[in-house]
Amino acid sequence: MEFFDRFAVPHPSPLIYASMVAIGLTVIAIFLGITYFKKWGYLWREWLTTVDHKRIGIMYIISALLMLFRGGADAVMMRLQTSVPDNAFLDAQHYNEVFTTHGVVMIFFMAMAFVIGLMNFVVPLQIGARDVAFPRLNAISFWLYFAGAMLFNISFVVGGSPDAGWTNYYPLASTDFSTSVGINYYNWALQISGIGTLMTGINFIVTILKMRAPGMKLMKMPMFTWSSLITNIIIVFAFPVLTIALLMGTFDRQFGTNFFTSVNGGMDMMWANLFWVWGHPEVYILILPAFGIYSEIISTFSSRNLYGYKSMVGSMAIISLLSFLVWVHHFFTMGHGALTNSIFSITTMAIAVPTGIKIFNWLLTMWKGKIRFTVPMLYSVAFIPLFTIGGVTGVMLAMASADYQYHNTMFLVAHFHNVIIPGVVFAMLAGLTYWWPKMFGFMLNEKIGKWAFWNLAIGFCLAFFPMYITGLDGQARRMYTYSEATGFGPLNMLSFAGAAIMAIGFALIVYNVYYSFRHAPRNVGDDPWDARTLEWATHNPVPHYNFAVTPQVNSSQALWDSKKHGYQLFKHDLTEIHMPNNSGAPIILAGLFFIFGFSFVFFIWPGVIVSGIAILACLAYRSFEKDDGYHIPVKEIKETEEKFGGAKK
Amino acid sequence: MKELFPLKQVNGFVFSLLLTIIALSVYFLDMSFELGMTILLVTAFIQATVQLVVFMHAGESEDKRSIYTSTLYGIIIALFTVFGSLLAMVWGYL
Ligand code: HEM
Ligand SMILES: [Cu+2]
């Protein structure tokens, strides 16, 4: 019995017991459902073992949406708890756990996965490639991310959730103050999915540098591909810092070392330092792909080429370097002197300059353009003013002396949601709507999509703008309740109303998927948005080899040139296509990593050793495996192309 | 004969052994902490360069330029991170 005691939740409540039952029932229902419809074989062959970048992208996006709802449920609970003074819906401990899991789930498992999912789906198509450079590695990245996400998500029903914030500062996160296994979960879940992300970074850099269609010089790449390249460079330089910091935290908590302790020569704020050395580049990892998506969408729906292509690329390159030079702005109040704070104040404000350049480029792209207000365009147009407000409040926070007033108040919370929601989340939803026909061969309903957009946009303003005011009035972040005398009540109620409206918006998006799946016409053609870049030069949905014939590229909007200026994209005849084989190894490897992480969280050494050896065995097996892929004969390509309505020539 | 004998590699090997001996001397000889650290840092960076250029053939392929550019970028970011952290964690309080 004693062995099982460790899995008990330290602070149980009816809500948690209810979730346990709900999770159990859902898992059983899914298993029974798949078995009943005899879908195991299909699932295994077509999805779980796939190395196709498009399917991996779709799996990333599905996981991201699931995590969006998990994190969204946390958000609504927090807003409900703070909607009236002295509320007792959640106690302090539960509130701590909820804001921690909200932050971690949203950043690591929602936003990152969404970004990487869209990158997976779109980038190889935009550069005219058949897949990424290392398809098997790509599958491993996804499954490691998935294993990490699942490990993190079981924490609240098995052993207890982390409760030290998504920033996980020591000494609060040390064993002295966080006694449950929650923080171990944090360390291992992020470690495992972080390794996956790092491999994605390498994979995409190689893909973009080496696998572009003939003629596509670097300066002829579409803007989303450019933003992905820069993002992945930041990933490769930033993520190792997180890996090491997490490992040091693990050693402190599980082997009694003193990296982040306040005694024995440890430095507790060193965690904060390392966390933000990774953390600030991370916010740019999220926003740059979003910028890329907006660039594609704004230029498509303004029917104009992107204004200032070179300055767009240049400002992203500058951002990628500057993003590594500003991290101290997250702890201006730690107590260092004016010189240190001034240096990082200035670097931080400097970042606003290239960001501002991009804003003007988007505005000038729309200038005198023939704008079509489709759903993706609505998100993009709303992004510009809303994100600008977030950027301006960021510059306010960047003034070190003023930050003593704002730091860790709701003002800060309002700032980063103001950049992340209209910046990243809107971009993901816009991108998903935009590329949806590429993925599934039908369009999402515009009318429901617009309703969802307005709910999200208005809900966002109502939910977060009041926080600027309460923050300036002194409402601290992460405070689970407040007294009536503070006067924070009415504005917090408004925030809750905004959150509820946003929840309706997300529900409408789900309904839209269902509705469009049932009712939308399937004959949308290959280029339903009248777009400009290469991914629209093949069929909807995309055949698994992407392009029957490798395209020849002449500019950053090759498809537009072929439509309007008679440029010939496909110059060659059909030839055999070389494709990678599917493999079960990635999902097995990730399963082993899950067991490894889980055992480590609970100090179950036999489990750690056995799964550790099995992981090494998998790697060894892979080293000796011979797998040269397979070839699709010309006849089969012809048949597939016929099925899609005639060869593209 | 010249093609058969990897002179560059043998020289590199001897040189890297030499660097290792110099670094080891910090442990065996009696010297101040500052001097010891300086010797270790300098030999470490030279050692890394030797490995990269001589044994990992950094300069021998077509993408020579991009290899050196990205290495340089990495070094710059690493230096900023290290010195920035020192500034934030140690020097900034003086
Ligand atoms: C003009 C650009 C920006 C500037 C000048 C800026 C400035 C700042 C500053 C100074 C802080 C720290 C404030 C404090 O802790 O008191 C901060 C926090 C933050 N910012 Fe920004 N920011 C900018 C853009 C962004 C973007 C684009 C994102 C994300 C996509 C972002 C996400 C965040 C997050 C997540 C935090 C803090 C999280 C936490 O403490 O939990 N910021 N920003
Ligand atoms: Cu920052």
Side-chain angles (χ1 to χ4, degrees):
Chain A
M1 241 5 245
E2 227 179 291
F3 177 78
F4 290 101
D5 281 349
R6 69 182 90 189
F7 299 126
V9 180
H11 306 277
S13 74
L15 223 57
I16 290 185
Y17 288 130
S19 331
M20 283 183 189
V21 176
I23 292 177
L25 289 179
T26 319
V27 170
I28 294 172
I30 292 175
F31 268 78
L32 287 183
I34 297 174
T35 314
Y36 180 78
F37 290 108
K38 298 205 175 64
K39 287 289 182 197
W40 282 112
Y42 165 78
L43 210 60
W44 177 259
R45 277 189 311 273
E46 301 289 320
W47 292 92
L48 303 186
T49 61
T50 187
V51 294
D52 180 343
H53 70 98
K54 300 179 287 299
R55 298 204 159 173
I56 290 175
I58 291 173
M59 290 195 292
Y60 263 118
I61 293 171
I62 293 173
S63 316
L65 288 172
L66 285 176
M67 291 296 117
L68 180 70
F69 286 95
R70 156 81 215 261
D74 286 344
V76 172
M77 286 200 285
M78 285 189 284
R79 286 288 102 219
L80 184 62
Q81 163 63 21
T82 48
S83 61
V84 289
D86 298 314
N87 199 355
F89 167 60
L90 296 172
D91 61 27
Q93 175 61 26
H94 281 135
Y95 193 78
N96 292 348
E97 293 176 11
V98 170
F99 71 63
T100 303
T101 51
H102 167 75
V104 173
V105 164
M106 285 302 200
I107 296 277
F108 290 91
F109 302 133
M110 187 284 284
M112 281 302 277
F114 221 139
V115 164
I116 294 180
L118 283 177
M119 248 186 227
N120 254 293
F121 190 89
V122 177
V123 167
L125 292 173
Q126 272 196 338
I127 62 176
R130 302 223 182 275
D131 207 318
V132 294
F134 310 111
R136 176 86 72 96
L137 191 69
N138 199 24
I140 294 179
S141 288
F142 169 73
W143 288 110
L144 284 184
Y145 148 74
F146 193 75
M150 289 303 114
L151 187 61
F152 191 84
N153 273 282
I154 60 169
S155 68
F156 81 115
V157 287
V158 187
S161 281
D163 54 1
W166 81 281
T167 47
N168 200 48
Y169 277 15
Y170 288 77
L172 178 58
S174 69
T175 40
D176 292 342
F177 300 99
S178 296
T179 46
S180 82
V181 294
I183 312 286
N184 299 351
Y185 268 116
Y186 176 98
N187 285 334
W188 281 107
L190 298 192
Q191 189 67 277
I192 291 171
S193 70
I195 297 171
T197 309
L198 190 54
M199 295 193 302
T200 300
I202 296 169
N203 209 342
F204 274 82
I205 294 178
V206 179
T207 305
I208 297 174
L209 289 183
K210 293 283 178 194
M211 302 193 40
R212 297 190 307 275
M216 187 182 278
K217 303 254 172 54
L218 276 180
M219 288 312 267
K220 289 181 179 166
M221 295 197 305
M223 198 46 68
F224 180 64
T225 300
W226 254 117
S227 71
S228 301
L229 176 63
I230 306 245
T231 303
N232 284 297
I233 292 174
I234 305 183
I235 287 181
V236 168
F237 284 101
F239 265 75
V241 181
L242 180 69
T243 303
I244 295 304
L246 288 170
L247 205 59
M248 289 158 92
T250 301
F251 269 72
D252 268 16
R253 287 185 52 89
Q254 302 200 267
F255 300 121
T257 55
N258 286 290
F259 292 112
F260 304 134
T261 55
S262 18
V263 291
N264 297 333
M267 249 185 182
D268 42 10
M269 279 308 283
M270 194 60 186
W271 163 268
N273 185 67
L274 293 178
F275 182 86
W276 289 114
V277 166
W278 160 82
H280 189 86
E282 166 67 14
V283 308
Y284 280 92
I285 291 170
L286 296 179
I287 201 69
L288 287 182
F291 286 174
I293 293 172
Y294 289 131
S295 301
E296 301 290 350
I297 290 175
I298 289 177
S299 124
T300 297
F301 294 109
S302 308
S303 308
R304 294 196 52 191
N305 63 348
L306 194 62
Y307 184 89
Y309 179 95
K310 278 189 191 142
S311 65
M312 285 292 210
V313 175
S315 50
M316 281 197 294
I318 295 172
I319 289 177
S320 82
L321 186 66
L322 281 182
S323 72
F324 284 97
L325 307 182
V326 301
W327 76 95
V328 174
H329 67 215
H330 292 277
F331 43 92
F332 276 147
T333 55
M334 192 168 93
H336 13 57
L339 177 68
T340 309
N341 275 358
S342 315
I343 293 173
F344 286 97
S345 240
I346 291 169
T347 52
T348 304
M349 292 182 201
I351 278 207
V353 176
T355 315
I357 293 178
K358 297 183 75 79
I359 300 265
F360 283 108
N361 281 337
W362 289 312
L363 289 175
L364 289 169
T365 305
M366 288 192 281
W367 181 256
K368 291 191 179 161
K370 231 176 36 234
I371 298 181
R372 288 174 283 152
F373 283 102
T374 57
V375 171
M377 189 63 176
L378 279 179
Y379 282 113
S380 313
V381 171
F383 148 80
I384 294 177
L386 291 178
F387 182 84
T388 306
I389 298 174
V392 169
T393 56
V395 176
M396 290 170 72
L397 289 163
M399 292 183 273
S401 41
D403 187 51
Y404 275 79
Q405 174 74 23
Y406 312 134
H407 182 58
N408 278 356
T409 65
M410 294 309 274
F411 187 90
L412 165 72
V413 176
H415 155 68
F416 71 74
H417 285 91
N418 202 163
V419 279
I420 289 180
I421 292 175
V424 184
V425 178
F426 281 14
M428 296 307 125
L429 297 175
L432 185 62
T433 318
Y434 181 61
W435 283 303
W436 187 272
K438 272 274 74 126
M439 295 177 189
F440 303 108
F442 61 91
M443 320 248 309
L444 288 176
N445 184 285
E446 279 281 303
K447 198 160 164 214
I448 307 175
K450 282 180 184 165
W451 272 97
F453 162 77
W454 284 110
N455 272 282
L456 287 177
I458 295 171
F460 163 77
C461 294
L462 288 179
F464 292 97
F465 288 159
M467 293 181 194
Y468 282 122
I469 302 169
T470 58
L472 289 179
D473 280 345
Q475 186 184 2
R477 75 190 290 195
R478 297 177 177 168
M479 213 166 53
Y480 86 105
T481 192
Y482 50 87
S483 72
E484 185 154 16
T486 56
F488 300 150
L491 285 173
N492 276 279
M493 180 50 96
L494 196 59
S495 271
F496 172 62
I501 295 175
M502 289 188 78
I504 296 173
F506 285 117
L508 280 173
I509 290 178
V510 176
Y511 175 68
N512 196 0
V513 170
Y514 167 79
Y515 179 90
S516 310
F517 177 71
R518 292 290 303 273
H519 302 292
R522 305 290 140 139
N523 53 348
V524 293
D526 291 344
D527 182 20
W529 302 113
D530 195 14
R532 315 170 79 86
T533 40
L534 217 48
E535 75 269 29
W536 301 100
T538 181
H539 305 291
N540 288 332
V542 188
H544 64 292
Y545 47 73
N546 291 359
F547 296 91
V549 175
T550 302
Q552 291 270 335
V553 177
N554 64 330
S555 78
S556 68
Q557 35 181 357
L559 176 66
W560 189 255
D561 289 346
S562 85
K563 283 191 293 193
K564 305 287 151 160
H565 309 302
Y567 175 76
Q568 202 191 344
L569 264 180
F570 301 101
K571 295 200 173 87
H572 299 287
D573 289 329
L574 286 180
T575 46
E576 260 191 2
I577 296 176
H578 184 200
M579 297 296 290
N581 280 324
N582 283 1
S583 164
I587 186 171
I588 293 171
L589 188 68
L592 291 169
F593 262 100
F594 181 89
I595 299 171
F596 182 84
F598 184 82
S599 309
F600 223 120
V601 166
F602 287 98
F603 301 86
I604 304 171
W605 302 124
V608 171
I609 294 168
V610 171
S611 53
I613 292 174
I615 290 170
L616 291 178
C618 277
L619 300 183
Y621 172 78
R622 174 63 179 144
S623 308
F624 293 107
E625 188 185 354
K626 247 193 135 59
D627 178 2
D628 296 327
Y630 66 99
H631 290 266
I632 311 177
V634 173
K635 194 165 141 271
E636 197 184 319
I637 306 171
K638 268 200 186 121
E639 282 164 12
T640 316
E641 291 291 304
E642 292 303 325
K643 260 211 316 266
F644 276 103
K648 271 252 142 189
K649 277 245 89 187
Chain B
M1 191 61 202
K2 232 178 155 200
E3 286 84 56
L4 288 177
F5 189 72
L7 189 65
K8 187 174 154 200
Q9 272 69 22
V10 172
N11 277 342
F13 183 59
V14 173
F15 188 49
S16 73
L17 282 182
L18 190 70
L19 286 167
T20 313
I21 293 169
I22 299 176
L24 264 179
S25 73
V26 173
Y27 179 74
F28 288 108
L29 301 179
D30 199 20
M31 62 180 77
S32 71
F33 179 77
E34 284 77 17
L35 181 62
M37 281 312 267
T38 317
I39 293 178
L40 283 183
L41 272 176
V42 172
T43 50
F45 272 94
I46 301 178
Q47 183 77 266
T49 317
V50 171
Q51 299 296 329
L52 198 68
V53 176
V54 180
F55 298 109
M56 294 168 79
H57 308 277
E60 292 169 23
S61 55
E62 276 170 37
D63 41 9
K64 179 175 166 175
R65 247 193 57 191
S66 72
I67 289 180
Y68 282 127
T69 317
S70 44
T71 313
L72 193 69
Y73 186 72
I75 292 173
I76 290 175
I77 288 183
L79 288 178
F80 273 128
T81 310
V82 170
F83 283 97
S85 296
L86 279 168
L87 191 64
M89 304 303 297
V90 186
W91 301 333
Y93 300 89
L94 302 179

